[in-house]
Amino acid sequence: MFRNQYDTDVTTWSPAGRLFQVEYAMEAVKQGSAAIGLRSKTHVVLGCVNKANSELSSHQKKIFKVDDHIGVAIAGLTADGRVLSRYMRNECINYSFTYDSPLPVGRLVVQLADKAQVCTQRSWKRPYGVGLLVAGLDESGAHLYYNCPSGNYFEYQAFAIGSRSQAAKTYLERRFESFRDTTRDDLVKDALMAIRETLQGETLKSSVCTVAVVGVGEPFHVLDQGTVQQMIDAFEIVAEQEGPAAEPDVDSGQEASAEPEPEQGAAAGEGVAPMDI
């Protein structure tokens, strides 16, 4: 990662026109535990992987409530994420007090991006080493934004950040066209399936993930572990039932019955190659 003399200061340009300290901050996001977001016309779902530093410690909180209509999921330095979520919370409170209405999601995202950009232009500051998925609902509908340490922000239908997020992106890219008109429960199911793609063979349980929802008539809240485990059990039972049901159709040849398994292997393999990023 050492880039010679051009990476000693965040305000120093390289001859290629790059700011290496900003790129290092973006690399910190890639090293954090995975976080994913999906949205439909009426709901937005955030999910993250709970990663503990050791078996003796608890995991750090990765999803924060900002307001009744906004929440964030983070990947990267959790301490930076807490500071930025507190800033967002204050902005929502101030706007609500002044205008007696909820802060539009897009405006909050722009303010957050401006705050991150300042840290790329001051020699005595460092960029925030955290990426944020901002989920919200306002008068214009449901929104999902990604805020980058560089000060850039993008709106997505579905997105994943953090370590092993490429496997989740591959799953979301195959399914995102159906998200807009899907139901709330199906959106949560797809979020759990995307999280499972990042676990690299580890069993998906409610203890290793956190899921939050915001939508029409539903303030932002984190689903309890019991509800999440019920959903996990439900779609795993359906998957088991679909597997045996397909076997009688290809009873004549073992090669045909084995075809679905390489499909799953391929899906897992898709996430293996780009794991380094």
Side-chain angles (χ1 to χ4, degrees), residues 121-155:
Q121 209 171 2
R122 301 287 187 272
S123 60
W124 60 91
K125 293 186 177 182
R126 67 160 176 83
Y128 291 103
V130 64
L132 295 96
L133 290 176
V134 183
L137 184 75
D138 56 25
E139 294 179 351
S140 59
H143 300 279
L144 175 67
Y145 291 92
Y146 169 56
N147 275 78
C148 182
S150 64
N152 289 323
Y153 64 94
F154 309 92
E155 184 169 12

mmCIF file of all heavy atoms in Angstrom, residues 121-155:
data_model
loop_
_atom_site.group_PDB
_atom_site.id
_atom_site.type_symbol
_atom_site.label_atom_id
_atom_site.label_comp_id
_atom_site.label_asym_id
_atom_site.label_seq_id
_atom_site.Cartn_x
_atom_site.Cartn_y
_atom_site.Cartn_z
ATOM 1 N N GLN A 121 -9.504 18.245 1.943
ATOM 2 C CA GLN A 121 -8.937 19.504 1.462
ATOM 3 C C GLN A 121 -8.252 20.294 2.579
ATOM 4 O O GLN A 121 -7.922 21.451 2.387
ATOM 5 C CB GLN A 121 -10.053 20.348 0.834
ATOM 6 C CG GLN A 121 -9.590 21.286 -0.255
ATOM 7 C CD GLN A 121 -10.759 21.940 -0.988
ATOM 8 O OE1 GLN A 121 -11.912 21.718 -0.645
ATOM 9 N NE2 GLN A 121 -10.450 22.753 -1.983
ATOM 10 N N ARG A 122 -8.067 19.667 3.726
ATOM 11 C CA ARG A 122 -7.408 20.313 4.860
ATOM 12 C C ARG A 122 -6.240 19.440 5.321
ATOM 13 O O ARG A 122 -6.429 18.259 5.628
ATOM 14 C CB ARG A 122 -8.379 20.515 6.024
ATOM 15 C CG ARG A 122 -9.598 21.360 5.677
ATOM 16 C CD ARG A 122 -9.225 22.837 5.527
ATOM 17 N NE ARG A 122 -10.416 23.670 5.363
ATOM 18 C CZ ARG A 122 -10.994 23.936 4.201
ATOM 19 N NH1 ARG A 122 -10.471 23.443 3.075
ATOM 20 N NH2 ARG A 122 -12.072 24.706 4.129
ATOM 21 N N SER A 123 -5.058 20.027 5.380
ATOM 22 C CA SER A 123 -3.868 19.233 5.705
ATOM 23 C C SER A 123 -3.867 18.754 7.148
ATOM 24 O O SER A 123 -3.183 17.785 7.478
ATOM 25 C CB SER A 123 -2.603 20.059 5.437
ATOM 26 O OG SER A 123 -2.599 21.233 6.235
ATOM 27 N N TRP A 124 -4.602 19.451 8.026
ATOM 28 C CA TRP A 124 -4.617 19.054 9.440
ATOM 29 C C TRP A 124 -5.760 18.098 9.769
ATOM 30 O O TRP A 124 -5.994 17.786 10.929
ATOM 31 C CB TRP A 124 -4.716 20.295 10.330
ATOM 32 C CG TRP A 124 -5.949 21.119 10.102
ATOM 33 C CD1 TRP A 124 -7.150 20.988 10.746
ATOM 34 C CD2 TRP A 124 -6.119 22.191 9.177
ATOM 35 N NE1 TRP A 124 -8.060 21.912 10.280
ATOM 36 C CE2 TRP A 124 -7.444 22.669 9.313
ATOM 37 C CE3 TRP A 124 -5.273 22.798 8.244
ATOM 38 C CZ2 TRP A 124 -7.938 23.729 8.537
ATOM 39 C CZ3 TRP A 124 -5.771 23.849 7.486
ATOM 40 C CH2 TRP A 124 -7.086 24.301 7.639
ATOM 41 N N LYS A 125 -6.473 17.629 8.759
ATOM 42 C CA LYS A 125 -7.546 16.655 8.978
ATOM 43 C C LYS A 125 -7.243 15.385 8.199
ATOM 44 O O LYS A 125 -6.377 15.364 7.323
ATOM 45 C CB LYS A 125 -8.886 17.232 8.519
ATOM 46 C CG LYS A 125 -9.384 18.401 9.349
ATOM 47 C CD LYS A 125 -10.781 18.818 8.927
ATOM 48 C CE LYS A 125 -11.300 19.945 9.819
ATOM 49 N NZ LYS A 125 -12.684 20.337 9.462
ATOM 50 N N ARG A 126 -7.980 14.335 8.516
ATOM 51 C CA ARG A 126 -7.891 13.098 7.739
ATOM 52 C C ARG A 126 -9.285 12.735 7.256
ATOM 53 O O ARG A 126 -10.286 13.071 7.900
ATOM 54 C CB ARG A 126 -7.318 11.956 8.572
ATOM 55 C CG ARG A 126 -8.202 11.489 9.712
ATOM 56 C CD ARG A 126 -7.816 10.082 10.163
ATOM 57 N NE ARG A 126 -8.586 9.647 11.324
ATOM 58 C CZ ARG A 126 -9.801 9.119 11.254
ATOM 59 N NH1 ARG A 126 -10.417 9.008 10.085
ATOM 60 N NH2 ARG A 126 -10.419 8.731 12.354
ATOM 61 N N PRO A 127 -9.396 12.039 6.127
ATOM 62 C CA PRO A 127 -10.714 11.625 5.653
ATOM 63 C C PRO A 127 -11.370 10.653 6.633
ATOM 64 O O PRO A 127 -10.687 9.919 7.356
ATOM 65 C CB PRO A 127 -10.410 10.924 4.321
ATOM 66 C CG PRO A 127 -9.054 11.411 3.925
ATOM 67 C CD PRO A 127 -8.322 11.666 5.202
ATOM 68 N N TYR A 128 -12.691 10.668 6.676
ATOM 69 C CA TYR A 128 -13.414 9.689 7.482
ATOM 70 C C TYR A 128 -13.237 8.313 6.847
ATOM 71 O O TYR A 128 -13.474 8.143 5.653
ATOM 72 C CB TYR A 128 -14.898 10.039 7.550
ATOM 73 C CG TYR A 128 -15.193 11.279 8.355
ATOM 74 C CD1 TYR A 128 -15.490 12.493 7.725
ATOM 75 C CD2 TYR A 128 -15.186 11.248 9.738
ATOM 76 C CE1 TYR A 128 -15.768 13.638 8.455
ATOM 77 C CE2 TYR A 128 -15.456 12.389 10.480
ATOM 78 C CZ TYR A 128 -15.740 13.576 9.837
ATOM 79 O OH TYR A 128 -15.998 14.708 10.574
ATOM 80 N N GLY A 129 -12.839 7.351 7.656
ATOM 81 C CA GLY A 129 -12.596 6.007 7.135
ATOM 82 C C GLY A 129 -13.817 5.121 7.226
ATOM 83 O O GLY A 129 -13.735 3.989 7.711
ATOM 84 N N VAL A 130 -14.949 5.626 6.783
ATOM 85 C CA VAL A 130 -16.190 4.857 6.889
ATOM 86 C C VAL A 130 -17.085 5.182 5.698
ATOM 87 O O VAL A 130 -17.128 6.316 5.217
ATOM 88 C CB VAL A 130 -16.922 5.190 8.219
ATOM 89 C CG1 VAL A 130 -17.365 6.642 8.261
ATOM 90 C CG2 VAL A 130 -18.091 4.263 8.451
ATOM 91 N N GLY A 131 -17.759 4.154 5.206
ATOM 92 C CA GLY A 131 -18.772 4.323 4.178
ATOM 93 C C GLY A 131 -20.147 4.147 4.792
ATOM 94 O O GLY A 131 -20.331 3.303 5.681
ATOM 95 N N LEU A 132 -21.101 4.943 4.356
ATOM 96 C CA LEU A 132 -22.449 4.898 4.940
ATOM 97 C C LEU A 132 -23.491 4.608 3.873
ATOM 98 O O LEU A 132 -23.497 5.244 2.807
ATOM 99 C CB LEU A 132 -22.787 6.233 5.618
ATOM 100 C CG LEU A 132 -21.955 6.629 6.824
ATOM 101 C CD1 LEU A 132 -20.826 7.560 6.379
ATOM 102 C CD2 LEU A 132 -22.796 7.334 7.881
ATOM 103 N N LEU A 133 -24.346 3.650 4.166
ATOM 104 C CA LEU A 133 -25.551 3.422 3.381
ATOM 105 C C LEU A 133 -26.694 4.123 4.105
ATOM 106 O O LEU A 133 -27.036 3.748 5.231
ATOM 107 C CB LEU A 133 -25.838 1.922 3.249
ATOM 108 C CG LEU A 133 -24.867 1.121 2.371
ATOM 109 C CD1 LEU A 133 -25.224 -0.365 2.429
ATOM 110 C CD2 LEU A 133 -24.882 1.614 0.942
ATOM 111 N N VAL A 134 -27.245 5.145 3.486
ATOM 112 C CA VAL A 134 -28.296 5.956 4.110
ATOM 113 C C VAL A 134 -29.641 5.544 3.525
ATOM 114 O O VAL A 134 -29.866 5.663 2.317
ATOM 115 C CB VAL A 134 -28.050 7.453 3.873
ATOM 116 C CG1 VAL A 134 -29.116 8.284 4.589
ATOM 117 C CG2 VAL A 134 -26.654 7.848 4.351
ATOM 118 N N ALA A 135 -30.515 5.040 4.376
ATOM 119 C CA ALA A 135 -31.863 4.635 3.965
ATOM 120 C C ALA A 135 -32.865 5.627 4.522
ATOM 121 O O ALA A 135 -32.766 6.019 5.692
ATOM 122 C CB ALA A 135 -32.181 3.228 4.482
ATOM 123 N N GLY A 136 -33.808 6.038 3.699
ATOM 124 C CA GLY A 136 -34.786 7.006 4.181
ATOM 125 C C GLY A 136 -36.045 7.036 3.343
ATOM 126 O O GLY A 136 -36.102 6.500 2.237
ATOM 127 N N LEU A 137 -37.041 7.681 3.909
ATOM 128 C CA LEU A 137 -38.338 7.830 3.253
ATOM 129 C C LEU A 137 -38.791 9.272 3.434
ATOM 130 O O LEU A 137 -38.814 9.777 4.555
ATOM 131 C CB LEU A 137 -39.369 6.871 3.868
ATOM 132 C CG LEU A 137 -40.744 6.838 3.214
ATOM 133 C CD1 LEU A 137 -40.697 6.071 1.899
ATOM 134 C CD2 LEU A 137 -41.765 6.190 4.151
ATOM 135 N N ASP A 138 -39.128 9.933 2.326
ATOM 136 C CA ASP A 138 -39.653 11.293 2.403
ATOM 137 C C ASP A 138 -40.790 11.459 1.400
ATOM 138 O O ASP A 138 -41.316 10.468 0.874
ATOM 139 C CB ASP A 138 -38.542 12.329 2.190
ATOM 140 C CG ASP A 138 -37.791 12.128 0.880
ATOM 141 O OD1 ASP A 138 -38.368 11.545 -0.060
ATOM 142 O OD2 ASP A 138 -36.627 12.554 0.791
ATOM 143 N N GLU A 139 -41.162 12.710 1.114
ATOM 144 C CA GLU A 139 -42.302 12.962 0.243
ATOM 145 C C GLU A 139 -42.099 12.428 -1.179
ATOM 146 O O GLU A 139 -43.070 12.132 -1.880
ATOM 147 C CB GLU A 139 -42.588 14.466 0.192
ATOM 148 C CG GLU A 139 -43.054 15.041 1.522
ATOM 149 C CD GLU A 139 -43.294 16.537 1.442
ATOM 150 O OE1 GLU A 139 -42.923 17.133 0.391
ATOM 151 O OE2 GLU A 139 -43.836 17.105 2.397
ATOM 152 N N SER A 140 -40.849 12.305 -1.603
ATOM 153 C CA SER A 140 -40.569 11.822 -2.957
ATOM 154 C C SER A 140 -40.429 10.308 -3.035
ATOM 155 O O SER A 140 -40.178 9.766 -4.113
ATOM 156 C CB SER A 140 -39.304 12.487 -3.507
ATOM 157 O OG SER A 140 -38.188 12.210 -2.671
ATOM 158 N N GLY A 141 -40.553 9.606 -1.899
ATOM 159 C CA GLY A 141 -40.506 8.150 -1.897
ATOM 160 C C GLY A 141 -39.366 7.600 -1.077
ATOM 161 O O GLY A 141 -38.772 8.298 -0.244
ATOM 162 N N ALA A 142 -39.060 6.320 -1.321
ATOM 163 C CA ALA A 142 -37.985 5.642 -0.603
ATOM 164 C C ALA A 142 -36.654 5.897 -1.298
ATOM 165 O O ALA A 142 -36.584 5.964 -2.533
ATOM 166 C CB ALA A 142 -38.268 4.140 -0.533
ATOM 167 N N HIS A 143 -35.587 6.037 -0.502
ATOM 168 C CA HIS A 143 -34.270 6.350 -1.060
ATOM 169 C C HIS A 143 -33.200 5.503 -0.377
ATOM 170 O O HIS A 143 -33.292 5.189 0.812
ATOM 171 C CB HIS A 143 -33.930 7.825 -0.868
ATOM 172 C CG HIS A 143 -34.895 8.761 -1.515
ATOM 173 N ND1 HIS A 143 -34.856 9.068 -2.858
ATOM 174 C CD2 HIS A 143 -35.938 9.463 -0.998
ATOM 175 C CE1 HIS A 143 -35.831 9.908 -3.149
ATOM 176 N NE2 HIS A 143 -36.501 10.172 -2.033
ATOM 177 N N LEU A 144 -32.167 5.164 -1.160
ATOM 178 C CA LEU A 144 -30.984 4.488 -0.638
ATOM 179 C C LEU A 144 -29.762 5.161 -1.248
ATOM 180 O O LEU A 144 -29.599 5.165 -2.474
ATOM 181 C CB LEU A 144 -31.001 2.999 -0.994
ATOM 182 C CG LEU A 144 -29.742 2.205 -0.608
ATOM 183 C CD1 LEU A 144 -29.600 2.118 0.915
ATOM 184 C CD2 LEU A 144 -29.769 0.805 -1.214
ATOM 185 N N TYR A 145 -28.925 5.747 -0.398
ATOM 186 C CA TYR A 145 -27.727 6.448 -0.852
ATOM 187 C C TYR A 145 -26.489 5.785 -0.265
ATOM 188 O O TYR A 145 -26.530 5.206 0.832
ATOM 189 C CB TYR A 145 -27.735 7.913 -0.412
ATOM 190 C CG TYR A 145 -28.763 8.790 -1.087
ATOM 191 C CD1 TYR A 145 -30.019 8.973 -0.528
ATOM 192 C CD2 TYR A 145 -28.461 9.459 -2.276
ATOM 193 C CE1 TYR A 145 -30.962 9.794 -1.136
ATOM 194 C CE2 TYR A 145 -29.398 10.286 -2.892
ATOM 195 C CZ TYR A 145 -30.645 10.444 -2.317
ATOM 196 O OH TYR A 145 -31.567 11.251 -2.919
ATOM 197 N N TYR A 146 -25.387 5.922 -1.008
ATOM 198 C CA TYR A 146 -24.082 5.537 -0.483
ATOM 199 C C TYR A 146 -23.199 6.771 -0.404
ATOM 200 O O TYR A 146 -23.018 7.475 -1.399
ATOM 201 C CB TYR A 146 -23.415 4.488 -1.374
ATOM 202 C CG TYR A 146 -21.958 4.250 -1.029
ATOM 203 C CD1 TYR A 146 -21.590 3.885 0.271
ATOM 204 C CD2 TYR A 146 -20.950 4.413 -1.969
ATOM 205 C CE1 TYR A 146 -20.264 3.680 0.604
ATOM 206 C CE2 TYR A 146 -19.623 4.210 -1.652
ATOM 207 C CZ TYR A 146 -19.284 3.840 -0.358
ATOM 208 O OH TYR A 146 -17.969 3.652 -0.021
ATOM 209 N N ASN A 147 -22.669 7.051 0.794
ATOM 210 C CA ASN A 147 -21.742 8.165 0.999
ATOM 211 C C ASN A 147 -20.328 7.624 1.126
ATOM 212 O O ASN A 147 -20.053 6.774 1.988
ATOM 213 C CB ASN A 147 -22.112 8.959 2.252
ATOM 214 C CG ASN A 147 -23.176 9.999 1.978
ATOM 215 O OD1 ASN A 147 -24.353 9.667 1.886
ATOM 216 N ND2 ASN A 147 -22.758 11.250 1.842
ATOM 217 N N CYS A 148 -19.443 8.133 0.289
ATOM 218 C CA CYS A 148 -18.066 7.672 0.210
ATOM 219 C C CYS A 148 -17.148 8.609 1.007
ATOM 220 O O CYS A 148 -17.440 9.804 1.131
ATOM 221 C CB CYS A 148 -17.652 7.638 -1.268
ATOM 222 S SG CYS A 148 -15.993 7.029 -1.558
ATOM 223 N N PRO A 149 -16.019 8.108 1.550
ATOM 224 C CA PRO A 149 -15.080 8.988 2.264
ATOM 225 C C PRO A 149 -14.533 10.115 1.407
ATOM 226 O O PRO A 149 -14.058 11.121 1.929
ATOM 227 C CB PRO A 149 -13.962 8.030 2.690
ATOM 228 C CG PRO A 149 -14.605 6.688 2.754
ATOM 229 C CD PRO A 149 -15.643 6.685 1.671
ATOM 230 N N SER A 150 -14.595 9.973 0.079
ATOM 231 C CA SER A 150 -14.079 11.010 -0.818
ATOM 232 C C SER A 150 -14.998 12.221 -0.896
ATOM 233 O O SER A 150 -14.618 13.254 -1.450
ATOM 234 C CB SER A 150 -13.897 10.430 -2.225
ATOM 235 O OG SER A 150 -15.149 10.037 -2.770
ATOM 236 N N GLY A 151 -16.221 12.102 -0.367
ATOM 237 C CA GLY A 151 -17.189 13.183 -0.470
ATOM 238 C C GLY A 151 -18.206 12.966 -1.574
ATOM 239 O O GLY A 151 -19.128 13.758 -1.738
ATOM 240 N N ASN A 152 -18.047 11.884 -2.334
ATOM 241 C CA ASN A 152 -19.029 11.546 -3.359
ATOM 242 C C ASN A 152 -20.217 10.824 -2.742
ATOM 243 O O ASN A 152 -20.088 10.169 -1.698
ATOM 244 C CB ASN A 152 -18.402 10.658 -4.437
ATOM 245 C CG ASN A 152 -17.416 11.407 -5.302
ATOM 246 O OD1 ASN A 152 -17.623 12.578 -5.608
ATOM 247 N ND2 ASN A 152 -16.337 10.751 -5.686
ATOM 248 N N TYR A 153 -21.358 10.928 -3.397
ATOM 249 C CA TYR A 153 -22.535 10.175 -2.951
ATOM 250 C C TYR A 153 -23.308 9.716 -4.185
ATOM 251 O O TYR A 153 -23.297 10.359 -5.227
ATOM 252 C CB TYR A 153 -23.434 11.021 -2.039
ATOM 253 C CG TYR A 153 -24.048 12.234 -2.703
ATOM 254 C CD1 TYR A 153 -25.321 12.181 -3.274
ATOM 255 C CD2 TYR A 153 -23.357 13.446 -2.751
ATOM 256 C CE1 TYR A 153 -25.878 13.295 -3.880
ATOM 257 C CE2 TYR A 153 -23.915 14.564 -3.346
ATOM 258 C CZ TYR A 153 -25.170 14.484 -3.918
ATOM 259 O OH TYR A 153 -25.723 15.579 -4.528
ATOM 260 N N PHE A 154 -23.957 8.558 -4.044
ATOM 261 C CA PHE A 154 -24.689 7.956 -5.158
ATOM 262 C C PHE A 154 -25.991 7.367 -4.626
ATOM 263 O O PHE A 154 -26.038 6.870 -3.493
ATOM 264 C CB PHE A 154 -23.868 6.832 -5.810
ATOM 265 C CG PHE A 154 -22.466 7.235 -6.184
ATOM 266 C CD1 PHE A 154 -21.419 7.048 -5.294
ATOM 267 C CD2 PHE A 154 -22.191 7.797 -7.415
ATOM 268 C CE1 PHE A 154 -20.126 7.410 -5.625
ATOM 269 C CE2 PHE A 154 -20.903 8.172 -7.759
ATOM 270 C CZ PHE A 154 -19.864 7.984 -6.863
ATOM 271 N N GLU A 155 -27.018 7.412 -5.455
ATOM 272 C CA GLU A 155 -28.279 6.774 -5.090
ATOM 273 C C GLU A 155 -28.364 5.430 -5.797
ATOM 274 O O GLU A 155 -28.033 5.315 -6.983
ATOM 275 C CB GLU A 155 -29.474 7.641 -5.451
ATOM 276 C CG GLU A 155 -30.804 7.037 -4.980
ATOM 277 C CD GLU A 155 -31.985 7.985 -5.074
ATOM 278 O OE1 GLU A 155 -31.840 9.040 -5.719
ATOM 279 O OE2 GLU A 155 -33.041 7.673 -4.504
#
